[in-house]
């Protein structure tokens, strides 16, 4: 009798263990894909609608500024150079990046449409991360242009040509397209069996993948790889580039020639500072300190939108060639209007 009770007890235990393993296997095999995500950014922020109006003006002036810069580069033949191919690429990514983010942000929070479909969420993530990455590597391409121009002036026109810069920019787009596609696609293998509240103002990669309840090691690895390749490697290489440029300029005897060479770098240095310092500062502060979620979201939204607004202004005011070209186009337009 006791042996029967013993075997019955073990049989029941075996069946329970078997059912638990079966349930676990089913959970691993079944991917729970939510119909939508809920964006919780800008919650409980007083007078936040004024900030959205400000972002609306930011977007309008971003479109006007970058549109003007693109038009000037297209219309003035003297700007059809390798250097301005890079500037043109930056203006395109600024325009596309702002268009991918700001209108959707305003529609989501100004009209309280916080539910974003699963497909739209991944689409937003892909385009915002892609344009952010291209902006970062375009700034590195500008540093390369300045390095060759100042350190190897006699080789500049042989090394920095339109085909070579075209190949560099095409490689940047192709590489980042592949990396961001893989990063976004890896979200599709995750199972979301818990919360679908994304603590951000758009479907950012980290806040989304951290909601998953199955293995997300690939996504965590891609987050580190993306951060290193987009936000760490380019500024480090830019700093090395300018150290090299500084050493080369220190060998120039004339102070006037040094200042003339440095003047060609000022617009690039300002844009690099505007782009990298806020975004790196926000990321470091969110990790190193207990930054309030609303403060983090506000800082992050500004770092994603303000550089695209300021870049064309900096290039128009600090670059003599662009400023002269704008004045020429304006005088030509006035002359044509007077003739008509």
């Amino acid at each position: 009798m006791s042996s029967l009770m013993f075997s019955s007890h073990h049989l029941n235990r075996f069946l329970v263990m078997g059912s638990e393993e079966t349930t676990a296997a089913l959970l691993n095999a079944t991917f729970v894909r939510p119909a939508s995500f809920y964006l919780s950014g800008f919650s409980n922020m007083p007078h936040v609608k004024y900030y959205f109006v400000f972002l609306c003006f930011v977007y309008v002036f971003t479109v006007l500024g970058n549109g003007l810069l693109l038009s000037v580069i297209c219309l003035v033949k003297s700007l059809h150079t390798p250097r301005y191919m890079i500037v043109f690429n930056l203006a395109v990514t600024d325009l596309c990046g702002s268009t991918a983010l700001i209108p959707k942000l305003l529609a989501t929070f100004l009209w309280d449409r916080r539910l974003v479909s699963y497909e739209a969420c991944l689409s937003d993530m892909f385009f915002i991360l892609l344009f952010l990455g291209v902006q970062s590597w375009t700034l590195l391409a500008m540093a390369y242009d300045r390095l060759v121009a100042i350190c190897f002036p006699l080789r500049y026109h042989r090394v920095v040509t339109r085909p070579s810069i075209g190949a560099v920019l095409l490689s940047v787009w192709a590489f980042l397209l592949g990396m961001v596609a893989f990063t976004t696609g890896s979200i599709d293998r995750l199972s979301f069996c818990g919360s679908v509240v994304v603590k951000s103002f758009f479907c950012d990669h980290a806040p989304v993948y951290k909601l998953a309840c199955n293995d997300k090691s690939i996504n965590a690895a891609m987050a580190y790889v993306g951060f290193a390749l987009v936000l760490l490697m380019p500024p480090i290489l830019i700093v090395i580039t300018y150290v090299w440029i500084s050493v080369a300029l220190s060998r120039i005897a004339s102070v006037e020639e040094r200042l003339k060479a440095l003047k060609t770098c000022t617009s690039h240095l300002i844009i690099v500072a505007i782009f990298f310092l806020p975004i790196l500062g926000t990321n470091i502060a969110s990790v190193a300190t207990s930054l309030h979620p609303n403060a983090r979201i506000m800082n992050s939204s500004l770092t994603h939108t303000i550089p695209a607004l300021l870049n064309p202004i900096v290039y128009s005011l600090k670059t003599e060639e662009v400023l002269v070209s704008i004045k020429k186009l304006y005088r030509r337009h006035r002359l044509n209007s007077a003739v008509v």
Side-chain angles (χ1 to χ4, degrees), residues 281-301:
T282 301
N283 278 278
I284 292 166
S286 63
V287 173
T289 63
S290 56
L291 195 66
H292 192 278
N294 282 340
R296 180 185 60 79
I297 286 168
M298 182 73 80
N299 289 341
S300 186
S301 64

Side-chain angles (χ1 to χ4, degrees), residues 82 85 144 156 158-171:
M85 281 177 67
Y144 167 73
Y156 180 76
R158 280 184 294 149
V159 175
V160 184
T161 61
R162 281 192 286 185
S164 68
I165 292 299
V168 167
L169 295 176
L170 195 63
S171 300

Side-chain angles (χ1 to χ4, degrees), residues 116-156:
V116 182
S117 70
Y118 179 84
E119 293 77 13
C121 185
L122 294 193
S123 175
D124 292 345
M125 183 190 299
F126 173 79
F127 286 110
I128 291 168
L129 294 182
L130 174 64
F131 294 127
L132 180 72
V134 175
Q135 283 171 321
S136 177
W137 279 83
T138 302
L139 293 174
L140 179 58
M142 286 179 171
Y144 167 73
D145 172 79
R146 291 299 83 207
L147 175 70
V148 179
I150 294 169
C151 299
F152 309 101
L154 298 178
R155 299 182 193 175
Y156 180 76

